[in-house]
Amino acid sequence: MHTQWEITKYCNKCGFVLEEKAALKQCPNCHKKYYFNAKACAAVWLTNSKNEILLTKRAYDPFKGWWDIPGGFAEPNETLEDAAIRELHEETGLEMTNMQYVGSLYENYEYESEVVPIVAAIFKAKIKGNETVTVNDDVSDYQFVAIDKIDFEKIAFENQRKFVQNLSLE
Ligand SMILES: [Zn+2]
């Protein structure tokens, strides 16, 4: 398993082998610098009118079959708020209101044979309007669960599990 950083070997401007220096790699020929950055994500701790939390089951690896709070990767030209709103809608068909930023977490997300560092903004929100869930292909199941009944052992990703556990205690 390699990180994207380890895989980046050649200058995409001139083709020379990059030299590694502290937190960056640099082309010895044209001096272009390459920085290793995390990919941005957003996720939502969403509650219904009974104050139950929405969990979605992951249909694909990493962590296929484990539970998640809805969310995903930000697209280009999108804020983290936009990403959270779009991902929630794509995965569940739901709309949200009273959106509030609560903090962020990082993970090393394993995608095929690569480790992708991510940083995720977590929002709290309430369902706006219709509470009927219609899942997309990324989600194999969903549940609304009372906050004191969440099975943390089944929550995907180490840091998300800790974050959700901390939120449940608030
Ligand atoms: Zn170069």
Side-chain angles (χ1 to χ4, degrees), residues 25-83:
K25 289 185 181 181
Q26 190 169 20
C27 178
N29 183 51
C30 73
H31 308 294
K32 180 173 176 180
K33 288 175 180 166
Y34 293 77
Y35 297 93
F36 190 39
N37 299 318
K39 285 197 176 192
C41 296
V44 191
W45 169 273
L46 188 76
T47 46
N48 67 9
S49 52
K50 293 184 224 160
N51 204 35
E52 295 163 329
I53 176 89
L54 175 62
L55 297 178
T56 49
K57 194 182 243 184
R58 299 177 61 83
Y60 299 106
D61 275 326
F63 285 94
K64 181 181 176 181
W66 291 60
W67 294 90
D68 238 352
I69 56 173
F73 290 96
E75 292 180 350
N77 307 313
E78 190 174 56
T79 65
L80 293 171
E81 288 82 350
D82 292 341

Side-chain angles (χ1 to χ4, degrees), residues 55 63 66-69 150-158 160-162 164:
L55 297 178
F63 285 94
W66 291 60
W67 294 90
D68 238 352
I69 56 173
I150 299 171
D151 182 1
F152 298 107
E153 304 281 302
K154 298 278 160 47
I155 302 287
F157 303 104
E158 191 183 342
Q160 177 176 245
R161 189 176 313 133
K162 288 180 198 158
V164 165

Side-chain angles (χ1 to χ4, degrees), residues 1-169:
M1 194 77 66
H2 294 284
T3 62
Q4 205 168 34
W5 182 241
E6 289 164 335
I7 293 163
T8 304
K9 283 196 164 58
Y10 301 100
C11 179
N12 62 18
K13 200 168 151 193
C14 74
F16 269 58
V17 175
L18 300 174
E19 291 176 343
E20 190 150 359
K21 314 183 165 192
L24 61 89
K25 289 185 181 181
Q26 190 169 20
C27 178
N29 183 51
C30 73
H31 308 294
K32 180 173 176 180
K33 288 175 180 166
Y34 293 77
Y35 297 93
F36 190 39
N37 299 318
K39 285 197 176 192
C41 296
V44 191
W45 169 273
L46 188 76
T47 46
N48 67 9
S49 52
K50 293 184 224 160
N51 204 35
E52 295 163 329
I53 176 89
L54 175 62
L55 297 178
T56 49
K57 194 182 243 184
R58 299 177 61 83
Y60 299 106
D61 275 326
F63 285 94
K64 181 181 176 181
W66 291 60
W67 294 90
D68 238 352
I69 56 173
F73 290 96
E75 292 180 350
N77 307 313
E78 190 174 56
T79 65
L80 293 171
E81 288 82 350
D82 292 341
I85 291 164
R86 177 185 50 75
E87 286 286 346
L88 177 71
H89 190 74
E90 285 174 5
E91 291 182 349
T92 68
L94 296 171
E95 306 283 347
M96 60 177 152
T97 185
N98 293 59
M99 199 177 171
Q100 187 193 347
Y101 174 74
V102 287
S104 65
L105 60 87
Y106 68 86
E107 303 279 2
N108 286 299
Y109 185 97
E110 293 180 10
Y111 179 71
E112 302 200 339
S113 59
E114 208 182 307
V115 179
V116 181
I118 65 147
V119 61
I122 311 298
F123 297 92
K124 264 186 177 175
K126 297 201 167 296
I127 296 176
K128 181 181 175 187
N130 194 335
E131 299 197 345
T132 308
V133 174
T134 312
V135 298
N136 78 350
D137 293 350
D138 293 340
V139 176
S140 59
D141 198 6
Y142 75 93
Q143 59 174 322
F144 282 107
V145 60
I147 290 166
D148 61 353
K149 297 280 193 297
I150 299 171
D151 182 1
F152 298 107
E153 304 281 302
K154 298 278 160 47
I155 302 287
F157 303 104
E158 191 183 342
N159 293 335
Q160 177 176 245
R161 189 176 313 133
K162 288 180 198 158
F163 201 99
V164 165
Q165 199 151 16
N166 287 336
L167 274 180
S168 75
L169 300 172

